[in-house]
Amino acid sequence: MKCTRKTLACVMAAIMLLLSGCGAANTDNTSESAKETAVETTAKSSTQRHKVIIDTDTGSDDAGALVLAATSEQLDILGVTVLFGNVPLKNAADNALMTLEVCGSDAPVYIGAEKPLKKEREEMISVHGKDGMGDQDLIHPKRGAEDGDAVDFILDTIKSDPGEVEIIAFGPLTNIALALKKDPDTMKLCKRLWVMGTTGFGVGNATPVAEFNVYSDAEAYDTVLRAELPMTVLGLDMVEIEETKITEDDLSKMAQGNKNGVFMSKAFAKLFEFYRKSGNNMTLPDPMAVACMIWPDMVLETKSCYGLTCVGDDAAYGQVILYQNGSVYEAMPEISSYNLDVVTKIDAKLFKDRFMSVMTD
Ligand code: BDR
Ligand code: CA
């Protein structure tokens, strides 16, 4: 669907918002549901582990995210599902398997989508190197992927533990969208989706308005947002906070750190070089998405939003327009519910300190 103005709907929506007492513009509207999630998550940290499926297009920062997940006591990784994205599917699977092996995790890996729902897979600049892991000849996994399909694994796992399984996705959302298309009722039993995607309230990296994961399959994002599952999203605006980024000094500390650090310092070689060429430090999108789940004290604010994905055949493809709950817009689409919680403030230093300690302690 294209992003069109629906003036009548806008007036109706604005009236409804005012009537329901949500009409104050520019308020700090950290959503109640997100606050509850944060409280629940904090309480859980001392008692029960999150049961998670990780969905990844494993390039180097996905690998960093897998290291955080696999070494976290907060998570019980039920399985890892892979798909195209940063690299072709085969590389994504091998990179995930190798990273899990380095961390001593035997979480099963399932093969998912090879291409987007509708468009052809587009070759974009490979910022992670040709193999997705810095082209350092690091990738020789001892085991292979499981026989089953990623979509079936996601559905079977959620079905067998209704309301308990969460998904962390840090690639295009194609596997999740396929699962929704196949069995929407089962997907309603997913406890929460944690997603790295969208620009947040900042600018894009695939195009000026679109973030890479959404741009890779905007139809999949659209499908997921329309399903209105409980969902927390980390966007590029948080990832661009300078204090979260990896400097040359950080990279050399990782190289002299523990086995995770040594492995990741090599895997980051190409990505780091890519950022250095433009005089920047290296961002960590996917590790930050995992951090939102395992370190809830890092997330200082979330905003309840209605996200509308642009899927038209034009320059806005992959943009996600975020209408904030509590703000009144003069032209607003019809909103059935606010369908995502967007992270809007984080403790950047806490993130970076903890990330570095996973790589060095
Ligand atoms: C996203 O794009 C990929 O390069 C990263 O792995 C991350 O998931 C950031 O836009
Ligand atoms: Ca990724």
Side-chain angles (χ1 to χ4, degrees), residues 241-255:
I241 296 172
E242 198 54 40
E243 242 183 318
T244 65
K245 296 182 187 172
I246 295 296
T247 63
E248 203 147 8
D249 184 43
D250 296 325
L251 200 67
S252 64
K253 282 186 184 138
M254 286 169 65

Side-chain angles (χ1 to χ4, degrees), residues 60-61 64 68 239-255 261 264-266 268-269 271-276 279-285 287-288 348 351-357 359-360:
S60 58
D61 75 312
L68 293 196
V239 169
E240 282 300 332
I241 296 172
E242 198 54 40
E243 242 183 318
T244 65
K245 296 182 187 172
I246 295 296
T247 63
E248 203 147 8
D249 184 43
D250 296 325
L251 200 67
S252 64
K253 282 186 184 138
M254 286 169 65
M264 285 313 308
S265 69
K266 291 183 188 154
F268 278 145
L271 191 62
F272 191 78
E273 194 182 300
F274 169 78
Y275 280 101
R276 270 336 236 183
N280 292 309
N281 292 318
M282 186 183 76
T283 65
L284 292 171
M288 286 179 70
F351 166 73
K352 174 79 168 293
D353 288 350
R354 288 187 185 162
F355 178 84
M356 286 305 294
S357 78
M359 299 296 157
T360 54

Side-chain angles (χ1 to χ4, degrees), residues 303-329:
K303 288 195 176 185
S304 167
C305 294
Y306 173 71
L308 188 62
T309 317
C310 297
V311 295
D313 186 17
D314 56 31
Y317 183 86
Q319 180 175 18
V320 179
I321 299 175
L322 296 170
Y323 296 85
Q324 288 183 46
N325 188 354
S327 294
V328 176
Y329 303 93

Side-chain angles (χ1 to χ4, degrees), residues 4-242:
T4 54
R5 290 162 64 100
K6 295 183 181 169
T7 314
L8 187 58
C10 136
V11 174
M12 294 296 293
I15 292 169
M16 284 175 69
L17 281 171
L18 286 166
L19 288 176
S20 67
C22 303
N26 305 320
T27 51
D28 176 355
N29 49 6
T30 300
S31 77
E32 285 309 311
S33 74
K35 278 185 202 157
E36 280 159 20
T37 309
V39 172
E40 261 174 38
T41 321
T42 312
K44 175 180 291 222
S45 56
S46 52
T47 51
Q48 199 191 336
R49 283 146 55 100
H50 293 269
K51 297 175 185 177
V52 294
I53 296 171
I54 298 179
D55 191 59
T56 163
D57 58 333
T58 321
S60 58
D61 75 312
D62 298 66
L66 279 175
V67 171
L68 293 196
T71 55
S72 170
E73 286 178 5
Q74 315 296 325
L75 300 191
D76 178 6
I77 304 177
L78 305 174
V80 175
T81 52
V82 293
L83 79 165
F84 78 93
N86 286 315
V87 281
L89 185 56
K90 169 83 173 96
N91 295 96
D94 287 347
N95 295 347
L97 285 159
M98 189 73 223
T99 308
L100 292 169
E101 192 175 310
V102 170
C103 301
S105 164
D106 56 4
V109 172
Y110 293 86
I111 303 288
E114 197 169 12
K115 61 183 183 56
L117 292 185
K118 198 169 153 209
K119 65 175 190 174
E120 284 308 307
R121 178 169 185 264
E122 194 175 323
E123 284 302 334
M124 288 183 252
I125 305 170
S126 179
V127 295
H128 303 265
K130 281 200 190 71
D131 69 359
M133 295 285 278
D135 298 333
Q136 303 291 303
D137 195 24
L138 286 174
I139 310 303
H140 307 282
K142 290 197 186 99
R143 68 184 166 110
E146 307 298 309
D147 287 337
D149 167 75
V151 172
D152 291 334
F153 171 75
I154 291 170
L155 291 169
D156 292 346
T157 308
I158 293 174
K159 220 181 284 174
S160 67
D161 206 353
E164 290 301 321
V165 177
E166 298 169 75
I167 300 176
I168 318 180
F170 32 80
L173 288 186
T174 318
N175 285 342
I176 315 299
L178 288 168
L180 273 163
K181 283 176 185 288
K182 189 164 181 180
D183 187 348
D185 289 339
T186 293
M187 287 304 281
K188 282 193 193 122
L189 304 172
C190 171
K191 186 172 185 182
R192 182 163 281 266
L193 263 177
W194 301 75
V195 170
M196 193 289 126
T198 83
T199 63
F201 293 97
V203 296
N205 56 359
T207 74
V209 297
E211 180 277 332
F212 177 87
N213 290 335
V214 185
Y215 182 85
S216 297
D217 193 350
E219 283 78 7
Y221 257 79
D222 188 39
T223 305
V224 173
L225 284 179
R226 283 173 192 280
E228 298 179 358
L229 304 177
M231 179 164 165
T232 301
V233 166
L234 179 90
L236 285 179
D237 53 349
M238 295 294 102
V239 169
E240 282 300 332
I241 296 172
E242 198 54 40

